[in-house]
Amino acid sequence: MHISVSLCVFVLCVCSAYTLVLIPKPSNNIRLSERIGNFSVELIDRTLTQTPNSNVVISPLTIWTVLAVIAEGSASNTLKEVCNTLRIAPENLRSVRESFKRIEKYLVVKTTTVELNKLNILFVDKGVSPTQKFALVAKDYNVSFATLNFSEPYKTANFVNSKVYNFTQGKISDLISGDDLTNSHMILTSALYFKGQWTFKFNKSATTKAPFFDNQGNVIGQVNMMYNRQILPFANFKDLKARIIELPYGKENRLSMLVMLPYQNVTVNEMFLNLNQISLDHILANLAMSINEFPEDEIDIYLPRFKVKTNLDLTDTLKSMGIKDLFDSSQSNLKKMVKIPSYVSKIAHKAVIEVTEEGTSAAAAAAAAFSYRIGVTKFEANRPFGYMIVEKTTNTIPFAGSYNMPELYES
């Protein structure tokens, strides 16, 4: 009789922004960072397609990391499907690990104005032992291991939730319940925490209630609209059918939020679909060029104060991206991870982002047109828009999402 037990995977992220010295780009990670970027864009596009007209925040980087760890424990077609989705070759896993280690050291930031940190833990039932090789390679992704008694599911869930609650500084609680542990023997948890002050804070006294429109120009609600006037990277991307402004964090010029405002009658989903054809490198390069083109031109920035919480089951999304056997108890092959037949029952993702006047708090070949600016340019995010928080040294996307439904958020 073939009996499989499940591995539960939980990915959680917290992002907070409130008000950056260039570090040289690591020279050996270019290919991997581009592959991570391509995966990230597809994940964002498919997630938003499955959650239309919703406010969403996800962390593509943590999802990629979790799947890369799972790939190390996979074999046969399971390994092939996961690697194809991640844009990596199964025979190159060792070089992927080495490249990721070079990238990851730039993904931990702790200064007086910016904090970015991540936590990966594999909670294992006391009766199950990961293979020695898997335990070794998982450490290259900074995965730590904790042994628990899964026969006491509610006690185990409380322990996991307390670790998550403390790491995200209280932003995410009740990640799992005891019911999630039925027939499970492992929980792979990945957490990402970000808190950053804007380099140029918004003036809180200038925040006012303002209408928020749909793509057709109809008023659908109100927001607390923040305001600032600064000289910032800004460009019109015709291929993307959107205008983008870059809002930097802190003093080190490493982390920024890209606010992406689609053209009128273009949805956020359509804009992200276009992003599949445009590299993040090109976007950042053109934004930097805009500052050189217009070094003294100020921009009036209007951005809603908002908070978004997301609780997603990404199982169907990842299946649509080509990962199928991993979730099938009769087909999954995780023999390099554990010796007993196992499969992934679900990949759950919780994320929180808060954007205020002080900054952000979160727990996720293009043509750029630089039109001649007459007076002060206005960038007004008063209709559905997308956003990405990018780490510019590695060009990775810790967080991304969309804002479609207005609310009067009071911080």
Side-chain angles (χ1 to χ4, degrees), residues 86-331:
L86 295 179
R87 276 75 168 175
I88 58 179
E91 62 271 19
N92 292 337
L93 285 178
R94 182 175 180 178
S95 62
V96 168
R97 292 197 302 272
E98 294 302 317
S99 295
F100 186 78
K101 283 194 292 186
R102 289 191 289 269
I103 291 175
E104 190 177 44
K105 67 181 180 181
Y106 293 91
L107 301 178
V108 177
V109 182
K110 191 171 179 61
T111 69
T112 56
T113 54
V114 174
E115 181 178 357
L116 178 65
N117 204 1
K118 60 199 299 289
L119 175 73
N120 298 314
I121 303 180
L122 183 62
F123 297 97
V124 184
D125 184 37
K126 65 179 184 179
V128 174
S129 296
T131 66
Q132 186 176 5
K133 184 177 180 180
F134 175 77
L136 186 64
V137 298
K139 289 181 179 179
D140 285 339
Y141 291 95
N142 277 331
V143 176
S144 58
F145 293 81
T147 301
L148 301 175
N149 185 359
F150 278 51
S151 65
E152 298 176 331
Y154 293 96
K155 184 177 180 180
T156 298
N158 287 337
F159 180 84
V160 173
N161 287 335
S162 68
K163 294 282 284 187
V164 168
Y165 181 87
N166 292 333
F167 178 78
T168 61
Q169 300 191 20
K171 297 289 185 181
I172 294 180
S173 59
D174 300 327
L175 175 68
I176 64 173
S177 69
D179 294 338
D180 291 322
L181 304 183
T182 303
N183 295 325
S184 294
H185 61 277
M186 291 186 294
I187 303 171
L188 180 56
T189 302
S190 180
L192 186 67
Y193 178 83
F194 170 68
K195 188 172 185 178
Q197 292 182 4
W198 298 123
T199 303
F200 307 105
K201 296 182 182 181
F202 289 80
N203 185 348
K204 196 164 187 176
S205 65
T207 300
T208 59
K209 290 181 173 59
F212 193 86
F213 303 86
D214 63 16
N215 292 318
Q216 285 71 47
N218 304 306
V219 176
I220 56 174
Q222 283 191 315
V223 296
N224 282 315
M225 188 68 79
M226 306 185 298
Y227 168 77
N228 203 349
R229 175 179 286 188
Q230 293 293 338
I231 300 171
L232 290 168
F234 164 79
N236 173 33
F237 291 83
K238 293 182 178 180
D239 291 349
L240 195 61
K241 295 184 179 178
R243 301 193 304 163
I244 300 179
I245 194 166
E246 179 182 343
L247 305 177
Y249 295 109
K251 302 174 182 177
E252 292 80 21
N253 194 29
R254 286 180 57 188
L255 287 141
S256 294
M257 174 180 277
L258 305 184
V259 182
M260 311 162 70
L261 187 64
Y263 292 170
Q264 197 80 42
N265 298 319
V266 176
T267 67
V268 175
N269 289 29
E270 290 170 338
M271 178 193 68
F272 272 113
L273 183 62
N274 294 334
L275 195 58
N276 281 294
Q277 311 302 321
I278 302 172
S279 75
L280 183 57
D281 285 359
H282 277 285
I283 290 175
L284 292 174
N286 284 315
L287 287 170
M289 194 185 306
S290 74
I291 284 290
N292 294 328
E293 293 275 340
F294 306 101
E296 299 179 359
D297 287 9
E298 295 180 317
I299 300 175
D300 280 340
I301 309 141
Y302 297 86
L303 181 68
R305 179 200 297 154
F306 67 89
K307 183 176 183 178
V308 175
K309 293 183 178 181
T310 293
N311 187 0
L312 298 171
D313 183 344
L314 293 177
T315 306
D316 287 340
T317 300
L318 293 172
K319 284 181 179 179
S320 73
M321 294 173 68
I323 301 177
K324 302 182 187 299
D325 284 9
L326 182 66
F327 303 105
D328 187 332
S329 60
S330 65
Q331 299 295 326

Side-chain angles (χ1 to χ4, degrees), residues 311-357:
N311 187 0
L312 298 171
D313 183 344
L314 293 177
T315 306
D316 287 340
T317 300
L318 293 172
K319 284 181 179 179
S320 73
M321 294 173 68
I323 301 177
K324 302 182 187 299
D325 284 9
L326 182 66
F327 303 105
D328 187 332
S329 60
S330 65
Q331 299 295 326
S332 178
N333 190 333
L334 296 174
K335 68 178 184 180
K336 293 182 180 179
M337 184 182 295
V338 285
K339 293 303 182 184
I340 57 177
S342 304
Y343 73 103
V344 172
S345 56
K346 68 176 179 179
I347 293 184
H349 183 45
K350 282 194 175 185
V352 181
I353 186 168
E354 182 180 15
V355 175
T356 68
E357 289 83 354

Side-chain angles (χ1 to χ4, degrees), residues 36-81:
I36 295 174
N38 292 337
F39 165 84
S40 299
V41 169
E42 184 181 1
L43 179 67
I44 295 165
D45 174 48
R46 289 181 182 267
T47 301
L48 296 184
T49 298
Q50 294 183 5
T51 55
N53 303 317
S54 300
N55 297 336
V56 176
V57 56
I58 61 172
S59 175
L61 181 61
T62 51
I63 303 297
W64 189 95
T65 305
V66 160
L67 290 172
V69 172
I70 291 173
E72 296 286 356
S74 303
S76 302
N77 198 55
T78 303
L79 173 61
K80 181 180 178 180
E81 289 182 350

